[in-house]
Amino acid sequence: MSLSLIAFLVLVAAFAVGSFTKINAGLLATVAAFGVGTLLAGMSIKDVIGQFPAGLFFILVGATLLFAIVRINGTIDLLAYWAERLAGDRKILVPILMFLLTAALASAGAFTPAAIAIVAPVGLALGTRFGISTLAMGLVIVQGANAGAFSPVNPFGVLGNKMLDGAGAADGSFKLYAYCFVFNAILAVIAYVLVQAIMKRRAAKAGVAGGDSAVKNDGGADAPQGSGVSGSGGAGTAVLTAPAQTAVAAGTRTSPEKVAATPMRVLTLVGIASLLVLTTVLGLDVGVASLVIAAVLIILDSSVQKPAVESMPWSAIILVTGIVTYVGMLEKMGALKELQEGIAGLGNSSLAALIASYVVAIVSAFASTTGTLGVISPVIEPIAMDPLLTPVGVVTAIAISSSVVDVSPMSTSGALLMASAQPKDERMFFRALLLWAIAMIGVVPLLVWFLFVQLGLG
């Protein structure tokens, strides 16, 4: 058994233990990185520490701190109130507006975590008001970010266009963006309809089992603090049915309760707008920009500091950074390069494109999509140059496969969604996002390979 295979199996083991027990998989992965890196790969402790994703850490800390403040001072309630008035009784407009807003931000150049960090808190809060599953709304928002992620000015699009340039198809930039946009829009519709259907079915079963008392205590807006869904079908349904009470009452929903635009909330909105400008126009790091704005808001109102810091999802941050540290150790020891060389040596370009699609999907679910695209680029360019294939088709398949799994709780986007869950629902939200990511890994690479590589779309 090769050293690389052993290292991959250790990661799988840490991930499995963390998924099915209460032990944090990130903590296990961090310890395993030191063990495998120093004992098996001959790396120094300093080298292993160097794989810690400091940039990702600052993104998670900065974004979650900023939007904890946004939530605590009531700014999210204000935005939800405005959006609810705009939507009126047209519930279907809510996910559409959130998808288009996130896609527009990403298309304008916002790094996908920045777009999600801006839209998710508002979208999830608004979804709860309309009886929309937080999971359904979260998936729609992530797909919106992915829809705009391969525009020419987005970091993902820049990497995608680099692969096109290397394959001699620089003029395929717009096609890459358009194909990714349409695919993610369709996937967003499927995700929304599917999760909402599951939510309604489970809510109906809970209502039959528990009667009116189940409806009153299903974890909705009027449920007692900490009640979750245990009174209406068990804790396992919390993620899907958290807003079920609102859904039951949606038919008789009254006018939205007015939320005042206080000076502090207005300043917070200015801060959110500044985040967009700093990250998209000036190119400032998302984490740094978020920390700066959060610090300014804390200076203006120091009372939000303690509850904001305490409400940050530290377990999720440890989980994500620990897994990514281990993947970085794998790359440092050459395990990922060995995998790439194996793909390049297949000989059959079409088969190589399929395997590469699965590889980027799996790796990206645990690591940075940007990093994954950067690492796989040298492997994809010669495959895309095969005269029997279309360069745009090959790159599109890789682009979609690598980004569609961003909902994974080990990725930045998935972690930001998980951070928005209630603490009592964090593990259930983790498992729901994990199951969706696994489904995406299993289905999407094969589907996009067939559409864009085999059928030659592009």
Side-chain angles (χ1 to χ4, degrees), residues 30-197:
T30 302
V31 174
F34 285 101
V36 174
T38 58
L39 299 179
L40 298 183
M43 297 169 59
S44 67
I45 291 180
K46 184 177 180 180
D47 286 338
V48 178
I49 293 176
Q51 307 313 307
F52 179 80
L56 175 59
F57 175 79
F58 279 112
I59 288 175
L60 291 174
V61 171
T64 55
L65 175 60
L66 174 58
F67 285 98
I69 295 172
V70 173
R71 182 179 65 253
I72 290 168
N73 68 18
T75 304
I76 287 181
D77 293 332
L78 177 62
L79 290 173
Y81 166 68
W82 286 345
E84 189 171 3
R85 289 192 62 183
L86 177 63
D89 290 326
R90 295 163 294 186
K91 175 180 177 179
I92 192 60
L93 283 182
V94 177
I96 293 175
L97 288 172
M98 295 301 103
F99 175 89
L100 292 177
L101 176 58
T102 318
L105 293 174
S107 297
F111 195 48
T112 50
I116 293 170
I118 292 170
V119 178
V122 178
L124 297 184
L126 185 60
T128 300
R129 290 175 183 263
F130 277 78
I132 298 173
S133 164
T134 53
L135 177 61
M137 185 62 77
L139 293 175
V140 166
I141 290 171
V142 172
Q143 297 314 136
N146 288 339
F150 286 91
S151 77
V153 297
N154 190 284
F156 286 10
V158 171
L159 290 170
N161 290 332
K162 180 181 177 182
M163 284 188 276
L164 288 175
D165 290 341
D171 58 346
S173 175
F174 179 75
K175 286 185 177 180
L176 172 64
Y177 172 55
Y179 289 152
C180 290
F181 193 102
V182 172
F183 186 91
N184 281 284
I186 295 173
L187 187 57
V189 173
I190 294 173
Y192 179 82
V193 172
L194 179 62
V195 175
Q196 282 292 95

Side-chain angles (χ1 to χ4, degrees), residues 202-215 231-234:
R202 291 189 174 185
K205 290 181 179 179
V208 171
D212 293 339
S213 62
V215 174
S232 63

Side-chain angles (χ1 to χ4, degrees), residues 364-416:
S364 185
F366 299 98
S368 165
T369 301
T370 308
T372 302
L373 288 173
V375 169
I376 203 70
S377 179
V379 178
I380 298 304
E381 290 175 9
I383 296 175
M385 293 175 67
D386 190 317
L388 298 178
L389 306 178
T390 61
V392 174
V394 173
V395 175
T396 299
I398 296 299
I400 293 175
S401 297
S402 64
S403 60
V404 77
V405 296
D406 281 356
V407 72
S408 162
M410 267 68 67
S411 72
T412 308
S413 299
L416 288 170

